[in-house]
Amino acid sequence: MNHTMISAQHVTKRFTEPVEFVVLDDVSIDVQKGEFVVLVGPSGSGKTTLMYTLSTLDTEYDGDIEIDNTTIRSLSKNQLATFRNTMIGFVFQFHYLLPDFTVLENVMLPAQRLGIWSEEEMEHRAMEKLALLGVADQASKKSNKLSGGQQQRVAIARALVNEPKILFGDEPTGNLDTKNTDIVLDILQDLKTEFNQTILMVTHDTAFARRADRIISIRDGRIVE
Amino acid sequence: MLGVMFGVTVFIFQAGLLTGLQNYFIDKTVNTTAHVHIYNEVRTARPHVISRYIDTTSRWVVVRNQKPREEARRVRNGTQIISDIQKDPRVEGVAPFLGLQGIYRLGMSQQAGSLAGVDILREDQLFKVKENMIAGDLLRMETLPNGIILGAGLAEKLGATIDNSIIVISSKGVSLDMKVVGISKTGITLQDNTRAYISLRNAQRLLQQSGSYITDINVRLRDVDLSESVAREYQTRYGYRAEDWKAANANVFGIFRIQNMTVTFVIISILVVSGFGIFNILMTIIYEKMPDIAILKAMGYRDRDISQIFLIESLAIGITGGLFGLLLGFLASKIVGMIPLNIQGFVSVQYLVINFNPLFYMAAFAFALISTTVAGYFPARKAARFDPVEIIRSR
Ligand SMILES: Nc1ncnc2c1ncn2[C@@H]1O[C@H](COP(=O)(O)OP(=O)(O)OP(=O)(O)O)[C@@H](O)[C@H]1O
Ligand SMILES: [Mg+2]
């Protein structure tokens, strides 16, 4: 059964400052449920910009984007926030863990915003994700006491805690050494094969790209197959 | 937080100090001035007699060197007015008064001052003369025909002590031998330095007047707040000027008003400054926390969730700073209230009287909360408006 998770039609985005500049030029992409897609391309080609637009973070573009059959443009600012909270998980190059919070508290943050589970339920789910990423033993530590690789794994656990439909990433292994990169890549692949998780990642890394179902190349804001 | 704390401290301390002093003064005044004071207002510019008989609108009439009428200050039928007022159920006490200027002499020392001819028992009922006496015996005013009670400052200047004989000379040139039977200290400096009580009869003798001659009637009410309306009523009923105690001390209340305004401005400026302090701190914090704000927004926190976090933060500053300020203000007031000092001003005090009115504490706390909330509002709104894309991109 084929189910389109992301559908972008003729997405064009331009920056007007400092000079008029077209970053995304008539981009159309479909991503199916359970697909592991990577976005590659030279620096400055518009990968990050495309990821932000597809993931609803950036709402200023021409064209149409649907996620799980919801037209993003039709949502208000608050609806969009709620939509992201339930549907989308993010992993960035930097982990963005809150330094004063413990690992467990960090992972629970999206669940707290969701607000449908009891405290114990949230804790249980957070621990489950931490275990999945092999960092359950770090749960009670302050997040700034972890190694870079551990922090990135915690960040992935946090992205997954609300069971999002899509996991977005922007060079999630960009700050990691090869060993940690391999661990993260294994985890992503497991997510895909075991949980049928839809994944869209931006990367520079060729090893990363090799693990994906599909590679989308982008150059000067245009898709080149 | 320190800013809020000190703001609240100063608020409480200043307000307590100022109103403490003012209340002390009012207290003293209520006990030493009549709630309602009836007297004959001397009109020095009396219309001259000629104007009664000649039309002065079309003519020039000049009368030179017209003298105020004798006995102008007299309250006629005073005895009757007093017994009439006595029947008023709102009245606690009423006392006749005959004021005159005189000179006190003890041996070679001599002082000018004002003499109060009073019915000492009635006077005591009104002004707690007995309570204010630091030496002597009030009742001897009744038993001795020529007793005098001196103000403490006056007695000191004269060098007079109990049972000394002093001579009192009036402007009419009458002199009387008096015996000091008491020394009183009201705390109101001017009175203590010039005033002496003598009997009504002796005052009348000094002025060469008959036994019904009085110049003032003082009334004490059961409820001091009725002063103004009762005064107005008596003025129309008896045809003499009747003044309530607030009007009599209008100049002092004017000063109070200016003091209060000054302190209010000082307090407001402190709170404004501490508000700006909080504003600055929160601004710094939100810039430090920009990455956190960005990720929270990316994971679906709404703008209002973000601004709530920072509002709660500033409110926490307000609450803790406010509470510490309350405590510090209370302690400062307590400590200053224990420092002994002797001030001779309007009133003489040994210790600073500090008002611990809980209303100040509530108001100060409320102000702390309001100023921190206002100060936190703009940073919180700013935090909510951050664009996560820009922040994450710039990392
Ligand atoms: N806010 C902005 N205003 C103006 N130009 C921008 C802005 N953000 C990005 N750009 C430009 O858009 C282009 C695409 O940027 P983007 O970050 O998407 O590239 P990228 O493919 O992710 O590059 P990299 O591989 O280096 O991360 C770049 O030329 C960049 O300078
Ligand atoms: Mg990029």
Side-chain angles (χ1 to χ4, degrees):
Chain A
M1 47 158 237
N2 252 5
H3 176 74
T4 308
M5 213 55 186
I6 308 171
S7 163
Q9 302 301 324
H10 310 293
V11 172
T12 298
K13 177 168 178 70
R14 62 190 88 224
F15 289 118
T16 48
E17 279 180 42
V19 286
E20 168 104 13
F21 171 62
V22 181
V23 211
L24 300 176
D25 189 359
D26 197 28
V27 173
S28 297
I29 292 179
D30 282 322
V31 177
Q32 304 302 314
K33 182 170 164 55
E35 236 186 329
F36 182 0
V37 177
V38 296
L39 217 52
V40 296
S43 185
S45 55
K47 303 182 294 295
T48 298
T49 310
L50 180 58
M51 194 279 266
Y52 287 160
T53 358
L54 293 178
S55 64
T56 80
L57 276 181
D58 194 341
T59 49
E60 273 157 37
Y61 54 84
D62 297 320
D64 272 310
I65 296 174
E66 279 181 24
I67 291 179
D68 202 20
N69 298 322
T70 304
T71 307
I72 299 309
R73 205 182 286 291
S74 69
L75 300 177
S76 73
K77 217 177 166 201
N78 281 340
Q79 285 172 328
L80 210 57
T82 307
F83 185 82
R84 270 204 303 278
N85 183 244
T86 51
M87 304 283 285
I88 294 169
F90 285 101
V91 193
F92 299 100
Q93 187 168 351
F94 180 72
H95 55 76
Y96 290 105
L97 298 175
L98 307 198
D100 299 331
F101 286 40
T102 65
V103 164
L104 183 65
E105 285 165 346
N106 264 287
V107 176
M108 282 166 66
L109 279 171
Q112 257 150 4
R113 163 68 180 92
L114 189 65
I116 56 169
W117 298 316
S118 70
E119 194 71 18
E120 297 88 62
E121 171 90 19
M122 285 194 286
E123 240 181 81
H124 173 73
R125 282 170 183 266
M127 286 308 295
E128 211 174 70
K129 299 302 173 204
L130 285 171
L132 189 68
L133 288 140
V135 281
D137 51 331
Q138 311 291 325
S140 57
K141 275 196 197 169
K142 280 268 157 62
S143 68
N144 55 3
K145 298 283 189 295
L146 269 57
S147 77
Q150 288 170 327
Q151 281 172 330
Q152 197 60 314
R153 280 187 267 165
V154 174
I156 297 172
R158 180 182 61 189
L160 294 173
V161 75
N162 281 358
E163 314 277 346
K165 295 255 163 82
I166 311 164
L167 182 61
F168 281 99
D170 191 0
E171 306 190 28
T173 59
N175 281 341
L176 302 180
D177 56 19
T178 38
K179 191 179 135 248
N180 276 303
T181 301
D182 280 341
I183 295 171
V184 168
L185 288 179
D186 284 342
I187 290 163
L188 290 178
Q189 213 158 28
D190 283 355
L191 284 171
K192 182 218 143 35
T193 49
E194 279 173 42
F195 301 97
N196 202 27
Q197 178 73 52
T198 312
I199 301 172
L200 191 147
M201 296 275 154
V202 172
T203 188
H204 271 127
D205 188 342
T206 44
F208 198 148
R210 249 181 278 122
R211 304 242 194 161
D213 299 335
R214 177 148 66 106
I215 299 168
I216 297 174
S217 292
I218 186 164
R219 190 167 305 237
D220 295 334
R222 250 177 272 211
I223 291 181
V224 287
E225 220 55 57
Chain B
M1 200 188 88
L2 283 180
V4 187
M5 190 175 85
F6 286 125
V8 170
T9 305
V10 172
F11 186 115
I12 285 171
F13 184 64
Q14 289 268 40
L17 201 60
L18 199 64
T19 58
L21 201 65
Q22 292 176 357
N23 287 354
Y24 176 78
F25 181 85
I26 290 169
D27 221 47
K28 283 281 171 195
T29 320
V30 170
N31 283 329
T32 49
T33 54
H35 295 175
V36 179
H37 175 207
I38 301 170
Y39 63 101
N40 192 350
E41 205 165 23
V42 183
R43 278 177 226 93
T44 38
R46 177 163 51 95
H48 42 70
V49 181
I50 298 168
S51 65
R52 280 197 225 160
Y53 305 104
I54 298 174
D55 173 24
T56 52
T57 48
S58 57
R59 260 175 271 244
W60 285 97
V61 177
V62 179
V63 179
R64 288 189 196 282
N65 216 3
Q66 178 177 259
K67 294 185 178 61
R69 214 183 317 173
E70 275 241 284
E71 286 190 27
R73 294 202 349 106
R74 175 172 193 179
V75 174
R76 281 171 202 282
N77 54 31
T79 339
Q80 214 204 313
I81 294 175
I82 288 174
S83 65
D84 193 40
I85 289 175
Q86 192 88 66
K87 290 182 201 126
D88 192 327
R90 293 166 300 184
V91 170
E92 192 180 312
V94 49
F97 180 93
L98 173 50
L100 62 143
Q101 301 300 312
I103 292 167
Y104 312 95
R105 187 184 285 161
L106 173 64
M108 288 306 288
S109 72
Q110 186 170 308
Q111 288 289 328
S114 57
L115 288 147
V118 297
D119 175 337
I120 196 66
L121 293 181
R122 281 174 180 272
E123 188 74 6
D124 182 40
Q125 190 186 11
L126 258 67
F127 300 126
K128 315 268 182 287
V129 182
K130 203 173 189 167
E131 266 177 36
N132 289 327
M133 282 192 29
I134 53 173
D137 182 4
L138 186 80
L139 281 179
R140 285 178 73 199
M141 281 290 280
E142 286 284 290
T143 52
L144 283 180
N146 60 343
I148 185 167
I149 298 174
L150 295 176
L154 181 61
E156 200 181 316
K157 283 196 227 163
L158 277 173
T161 53
I162 298 289
D163 285 334
N164 280 165
S165 283
I166 65 172
I167 296 168
V168 177
I169 305 154
S170 76
S171 57
K172 294 261 176 180
V174 181
S175 73
L176 289 177
D177 281 338
M178 308 290 289
K179 188 166 201 146
V180 180
V181 297
I183 291 169
S184 90
K185 184 169 183 157
T186 56
I188 296 192
T189 311
L190 186 67
Q191 278 197 14
D192 291 341
N193 282 347
T194 59
R195 177 87 92 88
Y197 286 116
I198 57 175
S199 73
L200 210 49
R201 185 72 215 107
N202 284 335
Q204 286 157 352
R205 272 162 64 190
L206 283 169
L207 287 178
Q208 297 175 317
Q209 294 290 347
S210 70
S212 64
Y213 184 93
I214 56 169
T215 55
D216 309 68
I217 298 169
N218 290 322
V219 182
R220 185 182 181 83
L221 301 174
R222 292 184 205 284
D223 181 1
V224 66
D225 296 331
L226 292 177
S227 306
E228 215 178 321
S229 63
V230 172
R232 221 175 302 123
E233 192 184 316
Y234 286 175
Q235 178 154 337
T236 45
R237 190 185 309 167
Y238 300 116
Y240 288 110
R241 180 93 173 85
E243 197 177 49
D244 67 284
W245 66 281
K246 270 192 182 162
N249 292 289
N251 52 341
V252 177
F253 283 101
I255 293 172
F256 284 176
R257 218 167 298 132
I258 294 168
Q259 276 184 335
N260 289 345
M261 235 156 66
T262 318
V263 169
T264 308
F265 281 128
V266 168
I267 290 165
I268 287 175
S269 26
I270 289 173
L271 286 171
V272 166
V273 168
S274 72
F276 270 109
I278 293 167
F279 174 82
N280 268 329
I281 292 166
L282 282 172
M283 272 311 201
T284 321
I285 290 177
I286 64 162
Y287 279 105
E288 266 171 22
K289 301 257 185 224
M290 257 162 72
D292 300 356
I293 296 167
I295 193 67
L296 286 172
K297 285 187 131 186
M299 66 174 74
Y301 280 82
R302 286 161 299 189
D303 290 5
R304 76 171 111 107
D305 301 323
I306 306 286
S307 60
Q308 237 168 44
I309 293 171
F310 288 95
L311 275 180
I312 288 170
E313 178 129 358
S314 71
L315 210 63
I317 294 176
I319 289 172
T320 44
L323 285 178
F324 278 114
L326 291 184
L327 194 72
L328 211 67
F330 178 76
L331 290 179
S333 307
K334 271 277 182 229
I335 290 166
V336 169
M338 284 189 298
I339 300 172
L341 25 90
N342 273 305
I343 298 178
Q344 301 281 332
F346 261 160
V347 293
S348 61
V349 285
Q350 258 119 47
Y351 293 98
L352 283 177
V353 190
I354 293 177
N355 189 349
F356 288 97
N357 190 343
L359 216 66
F360 293 144
Y361 289 74
M362 287 191 278
F365 195 62
F367 269 127
L369 292 193
I370 291 168
S371 74
T372 47
T373 310
V374 171
Y377 173 76
F378 294 98
R381 203 178 58 165
K382 177 139 189 113
R385 288 186 181 172
F386 277 146
D387 181 3
V389 172
E390 265 172 54
I391 297 169
I392 294 173
R393 214 180 238 298
S394 63
R395 220 27 224 227

